[in-house]
Each structure stands twice: as structure tokens, then as C-alpha cells.
Amino acid sequence: MRAFSVDRWWGIVLKEFLQLRRDRITFGMIVGIPIVQLTLFGYAINTEPKHLPTAVVVSDHSEFTRSFLAAMKTSTYFDFVEEYRTEEDARNALERGDVKFVVNIPSDFTQRLLRGERPAVLIEADATDPAGAGAALATVNQLAAAVVKKDLGGALAPLAGGPAPFEVRVHRMYNPEGLTQFNIVPGLMGVILAMTMVMMTGLAMTRERERGTMENLLAMPPTPLEVMTGKIIPYVFIGLIQSTIILLAARYLFHVPFVGSIILLYFVALLFISANLTVGITLSSLAQNQLQAMQLTFFYFLPSILLSGFMFPFEGMPAWARGLGSMIPTTYFMRSVRGILLKGNDLFDLWPHIWPVLLFTAVVMAIALRFYRKTLD
Amino acid sequence: MSAPPAAADGLAIDVQGLNKHFGDKHVVQDLSMRARRGEILGFLGPNGSGKTTSIRMMCGLLTPDSGSGTCLGYDIRTQSDQIKRRVGYMTQRFSFWEDLSIRENLDFVARMYEMPSRREAVDRAIENLNLTARATQLAGSLSGGWKQRLALAACMLHQPELLLLDEPTAGVDPKARREFWEELHELAARRISILVSTHYMDEAERCHKLAYISYGRLMAQGTAEEIIAAQELATWSVSGGDIRDIAARLQGQPGVEQIAAFGSALHVTGRDGAALEAALRQVTEGTDACIEPADTGLEDVFIHLMDKSADNFRTRQ
């Protein structure tokens, strides 16, 4: 393997830029796709996911609280995955996206209940995806009433009548008004980038092959790594331009809150763009012609839309679909964007959604280099 | 960089027993070929005879199924990187970027070869092409002749020691072709080796050496005179009289293998000189036509070789 030559690599980068500048249709696509998609996906499909990961902070263990939690569990909307000792730990888990709900039962709950003081159970919900949280929350209040009827017999029977003896207070976190755009628009960033980046680089190599210029390129000294990375670079800029268009629309058209760091957002976008570009260039070296490259692109693009948590809440999907979704960088990017914009996640919070993208990029690049044909055989 | 090639001033191309299959088609069969440095080797053969495949194997663009060889002293199997740096390969089809301008194409090539004084080299190339005024024109908008000149300039840019030219003058007008060949001879005079494939007989005659390939097999190799002599063909010229009638009657006569019209004369060629002469005398007897021995031309030899290899090919089927 020869050494990587920056001069040659830069030559390829410049060539790609020049060709891109003269390709009006591609250029139109770069601006057109985000705008069309943003317009089309104004509304999202609502579903009713169950078994949502839920954490509890129980400071009062009584028959009564146990019974309430058991009822929540049998509703099948909630899966208790973790018990935290402090509210802060639970809040962090919610912020990282480990859990969707935190059920908080205060220490004097049973005591106050028995005194008829109408204590409150606090449920904090991750409402970044309002469709995912809505149905579950709707059942909680009914649960409260039902549990009381069942458990408050004998001497406590008088409490069962009249207004509910305790209240369930719900905090919708991160997206208090439950606006679907807040969820959809950041998610669209992942979908649009996945689509355009993979498609455009998918054509990059096959175009050279179809026009007969590949023979010339192969007869010259550049190495596969130089050619591949050199061809990718201009599209990185395009990806960043698209990200900016989407973010501007998110901010000024859809009024999505920007809680977290924009710089961090561009950083994760850059990683995601690289991941998609390596996919594109790999498909491109596998495909024989531009049509095949386009078809292969769809194999990647469809799961990116359907299984990444963009179209349907991730938790609502069956296990096999979640497994497939977990192999696609779009899934992780989607979580990162929502985490940054709506929750103000920092790099530490996002790390679980960043390393899979890095790993994915490295693996795919290795495949691409493996399949890059240095000869015309 | 590996050690300098052993045959530094000996052979530019030296390949033995190259074979290449595409699927079940045996495209190149046991090809052995040599070209000395500073020599123009003409590579001839009918369409689909394996010329392009052979050239691609020599510059490392295709891996031979079997066989070995060197190009400028570097192994064609393992040292294609070294070969690529020292060889200029001009593809049969224009393979530069049509959506880049003339200057941008040349600049890209210069960068690919990491040329130290890139700008000067590109400027010089454009000047030599007499294209200074049109340097910003897109390559795709050039005419065939200009594309071919641009391609030659581009594959000469890094000052290769060996040029592999795959039908460089196909579709180019005679004047441009002549200029092109003058340029090739100038390059050869500067010790640059050239392998050029062509269909044109006048071009074949301008080469120092020739190699003729048909159905993937090398049929003849040497100077034009050597190739003509080696086939031991007898040729007679028939002139005067009703040439068309004579041609029709000669068809299928013993000893007569080829009949070709050259203006108002017929060239009749065959391997068996005596039988050919007898047939000619018999057919022309009592007509106005007169017959005389003529020189066998390259074209006669090549058509003879093509028929011969086609027969071989059929018997093998």
C-alpha cells in the first residue's frame, strides 16, 4: 500500500467540486429535497406504543403504592426497568433517553392519603415524541381511580367516594405542548441527510464507470483511499448546507426550541454525514451502473425512514424491527438531534448515540476499500 | 520505490504467455510480445481480436489469468503502481472529463502525478496544443480531432517513458492524423517507446515494428518487410480487359486466395505461386488482360492472416 498523497487527494476533491458546480440538477436537488420533505411531513402518523421503559423513584413502600405500580404495569404501557434512589438520577436517565417516564412517589404518600389530604404522584414524561407518550399518559389517571376503588375497603371505604383520593401530576418534559413538529422536524434532518447523501455519492463512482472515465482514473496513480475520501469531501459541505436549511426552517417556520448547543449539533451532523457518505460510496463501488446504485440506495433509505424512530416511535416497534433500526446510523442521529434541540443534551449524554455511528462508518469504509476495484477485471 | 528496473535500456515491453478469459471467452491466448525502447510498435488486428485487453494487461488495468511479463522492467502483476507512473495510456474512447475544461482536465492529471511544477507544465501543454485561447472551454464541446489531441497531451503530461495508445486516430481526419504521427516520431526520437494499435495500413507502415493479433493469438511479429516475407505469398497484378468478369472467374480457382481491386487493376494473392500463376494464365487466356508479378502488400498479408486465423478458430470450435 502506498502512502496517502495529500496532493493527489486534493486534486480529486477539486475535480469533484468543479463537476458538481456544473451539474445543475444535482445542485437543485440539494436545496429542493429539504424543502419538499419539510412541507410534506407537516403531520406525522400517530401510533400507540406500549412497554415504554419507565423508572421509579419510590420513597414510600406500602401496599398501596405497590398496588398502584402493579396497575401501571398491567396496563402494558409501562415497563419498569430501573429504580432510582434520587429524583436527580431518574431525571438524568430521562435526559439520556434510557427511560421515557419517571414515576415519583413521595415519602409521606400513604400517610397523607390515609389522612385524606389528596397527595400527588408525579410522572415526568419525555414528550419529545408526543405520539409516543400521549396514550400512556391518558391511561394513568384512570388507573388511579381504579386502584383506589379496589384497595380502599373496610374502614377506609369513605375515602373511595367523592373526588379521587390522590392525584397524578404529569410533567411533559422537553415538549410541554406536545407539538408533533418538534419531534418531526429534527427527525427530518436525519431522513433528508440520509437520502441525499447516500444517493449523491452512490452515483459518484458509477458515473465515472459509465462515462468511461474510470479506466482513465485507474490508469493514474491515486490510491483507492484517496479516490474515495476525495470524492466524499464536497458532499460533506453539501450536507452541512442542507443541515443549515433544515435548522433555519425548524427555528423560524416550525418554532422548534433550540435548547442545546448548535456547535454540538453540527458536530454530530458531521459524523452522520460521513457515515452516510461512506454508505453511498460503498454502494457505488458495488453497483455496476447508476441505476443499480439508485436501487441499492433505496435498500438503505427505507429502513432509515421506517425503522429509525422517525415515522413510528421506536419503542412501539417489534423487537426484530428495533434490532434492524439499531444498525442504522439514522436511528442514533435522530436521537442526538432531538436530544440536543429539545433536551439540551451534552456530549456526555449523547455518547451512547455517537459511538455506534463512528463504528458504523469505520466498518462500512473498510467494506468499501475491500470492494474497490483497482483493475477493470 | 523499488529498485530500478534491470532492463533499463533494453525492452519497454516484454510479456510471455499472457492469457485472459472473460467468462468462457478466451480473449487473449498465449500472447508473447517484445518492444524495444524508443521503438514504435504497431499493434494490428481485426475488431475484437484482444488488442485492448492486451494493452490493459500491460499497464496493470487487468490481471492476466496466466503468463508473466514486465513493462519498463516492472512486473505487470505486482508493480502496476510503478508502471502507472511511467506509462501514458490513451484509451480507445475519450476518457477525460467532459464536464471539465481543457485546463481543468490537464490540471487534474498533473495533480494525480504529483508534478512539481504543475502550472508551468499545464501552460506548456496548452500552448503546444495551440489552445491557449480556448483553455476554459469544456472538453465535452471539442470536436473528435481536438479531443484526441487533448487526450494525447494529457497522457504525455507526466513525461512517460512508454505510451500505450489504443486506436488513437480512429475518426480523425487525414491531416490531423499525419500531424499526430509526426509527433509520435518526434517522441520516439527522444527514446520514448510507443505501442499503438490501429486499423490503418498507412499507419502500420509508419511503425518501426508490427505485431498482428487475431482471435487473441499473435499471428506475426517483426518489421513490415519481415512479416511480408514470412508469409511467402505470391501476388500478381491483372490489368486491362474486363476486370470484373476476370475477378468472378478467378473466384474459387486453385491457388487463388484473395482478389482485391486496386483502381483499374486486380491484386490476386495466394500461397502457392505456381498454382496461382497457372490459374491466372488459364482465366486470362484469350482476353485483353495482361498479368505481371507484383509486390505483396501489408494489407494482403493481414487479410491472409485474418482468414487463416478464422479457419483456425472454426476448426477449434
Side-chain angles (χ1 to χ4, degrees), chain A residues 272-288:
Chain A
F272 180 64
I273 288 166
S274 315
N276 285 313
L277 293 177
T278 47
V279 170
I281 210 95
T282 308
L283 296 182
S284 196
S285 39
L286 292 175
Q288 294 295 330

Side-chain angles (χ1 to χ4, degrees), chain A residues 65-176:
Chain A
T65 58
R66 268 195 299 279
S67 161
F68 176 66
L69 292 176
M72 275 181 80
K73 200 173 171 181
T74 41
S75 77
T76 70
Y77 282 105
F78 305 92
D79 268 3
F80 294 112
V81 292
E82 197 74 65
E83 176 163 359
Y84 291 103
R85 308 193 59 159
T86 68
E87 226 171 297
E88 204 191 324
D89 288 345
R91 176 72 65 87
N92 285 337
L94 194 65
E95 206 169 285
R96 284 194 303 272
D98 292 350
V99 294
K100 286 274 164 193
F101 299 99
V102 173
V103 179
N104 195 340
I105 299 177
S107 56
D108 52 357
F109 181 80
T110 313
Q111 211 176 356
R112 291 182 59 199
L113 179 82
L114 295 177
R115 283 199 221 121
E117 289 178 14
R118 298 199 72 231
V121 171
L122 179 69
I123 296 186
E124 290 177 320
D126 177 350
T128 42
D129 184 354
L137 290 178
T139 60
V140 175
N141 275 306
Q142 296 163 13
L143 281 179
V147 166
V148 169
K149 266 193 193 113
K150 189 168 100 6
D151 277 9
L152 295 180
L156 298 171
L159 276 175
F166 70 98
E167 85 182 285
V168 178
R169 215 174 284 150
V170 174
H171 277 190
R172 287 170 183 270
M173 312 279 291
Y174 317 123
N175 182 5

Side-chain angles (χ1 to χ4, degrees), chain B residues 184-203:
Chain B
L184 292 192
H185 274 277
E186 273 168 38
L187 293 171
R190 290 180 2 223
R191 298 282 294 158
I192 292 170
S193 319
I194 300 169
L195 174 75
V196 52
S197 77
T198 179
H199 285 301
Y200 298 113
M201 285 308 130
D202 60 319
E203 293 189 348

Side-chain angles (χ1 to χ4, degrees), chain A residues 15 204-214 231, chain B residues 97:
Chain A
K15 164 182 160 293
M205 229 50 146
T206 41
R207 193 185 296 129
E208 301 264 5
R209 210 167 288 141
E210 268 179 38
R211 292 184 184 171
T213 49
M214 195 68 194
K231 278 183 160 296
Chain B
W97 288 267

